[in-house]
Amino acid sequence: MPRTHGYRRGTRYMFSRPFRKHGVEHLCTYLKTYKVGDIVDVKANGAFHKGMPHKFYHGKTGRIYNVTKRAVGVIVNKPIRNQILPKRINIRIEHIKHSRCQEDFLKRVKENEKKKQLAKETGKKVPLKRQPVGPRSAHFVRLRGKEPELVEPIPYEFVA
């Protein structure tokens, strides 16, 4: 077959519904609240053709800049040649979900605020930066009566 150039070409698996996930969309999809400034993941739902983003934006993360009754406007960065352009796309809410990319960061910020408050009360200085995991401490390996086994490579034998 000749090369296709359609709008949805190459999306056979991208826009297909997962196994046992066909049918009516759950109400929780429509009951989620999206606000301007929220970070969302674009994940196109193949069951809904209205308001579906182009295949390029599938799997991308962006920030909401506009909210309407059934859709949201999302700013997504798109690399074009040697520059990154912020593209504004309008997507229905069936095709987006809240991003979890900042969960660890926000959790760490809350923990650091508690540490700062505790340090202020006690008058001690507390390091707030993340520290890399150091080397393990020295320890003895107990053999419990077993002999240590020598591990070495098997010599190569040429079989004619």
Side-chain angles (χ1 to χ4, degrees):
M1 290 179 70
R3 182 86 168 122
T4 55
H5 299 285
Y7 192 76
R8 287 182 60 159
R9 69 149 181 197
T11 61
R12 177 178 179 178
Y13 302 105
M14 185 187 294
F15 291 161
S16 65
R17 300 295 293 139
F19 179 58
R20 293 194 306 197
K21 298 281 189 236
H22 298 264
V24 181
E25 187 64 21
H26 299 287
L27 272 179
C28 64
T29 304
Y30 302 101
L31 295 176
K32 287 178 183 166
T33 55
Y34 295 98
K35 298 175 183 174
V36 174
D38 284 356
I39 297 175
V40 292
D41 294 331
V42 178
K43 185 182 178 187
N45 187 343
F48 300 93
H49 298 168
K50 270 192 158 186
M52 183 186 273
H54 187 263
K55 62 185 176 182
F56 171 82
Y57 301 104
H58 181 80
K60 300 286 188 282
T61 302
R63 191 176 290 271
I64 293 179
Y65 75 93
N66 184 30
V67 179
T68 60
K69 191 163 50 170
R70 293 182 190 87
V72 294
V74 182
I75 298 175
V76 182
N77 287 336
K78 183 174 184 179
I80 298 175
R81 293 198 181 100
N82 60 348
Q83 56 189 344
I84 298 174
L85 298 179
K87 305 285 281 190
R88 290 171 179 257
I89 55 174
N90 295 310
I91 310 171
R92 276 197 167 214
I93 56 173
E94 293 97 346
H95 307 291
I96 61 169
K97 61 178 184 175
H98 284 287
S99 181
R100 300 180 61 191
C101 65
Q102 277 198 316
E103 277 184 1
D104 292 336
F105 169 71
L106 294 174
K107 190 175 97 177
R108 207 171 71 243
V109 167
K110 287 179 184 175
E111 288 173 1
N112 285 352
E113 290 299 322
K114 288 179 185 175
K115 286 180 186 175
K116 272 197 255 184
Q117 194 174 9
L118 192 68
K120 201 172 187 180
E121 292 169 3
T122 57
K124 293 180 181 177
K125 198 170 186 179
V126 179
L128 299 176
K129 290 184 178 180
R130 292 175 287 175
Q131 296 297 322
V133 179
R136 289 181 287 176
S137 58
H139 61 280
F140 288 104
V141 178
R142 292 187 178 83
L143 295 175
R144 295 193 173 91
K146 297 177 184 172
E147 283 295 315
E149 186 180 336
L150 182 65
V151 180
E152 56 187 5
I154 302 168
Y156 175 74
E157 293 178 20
F158 180 73
V159 180

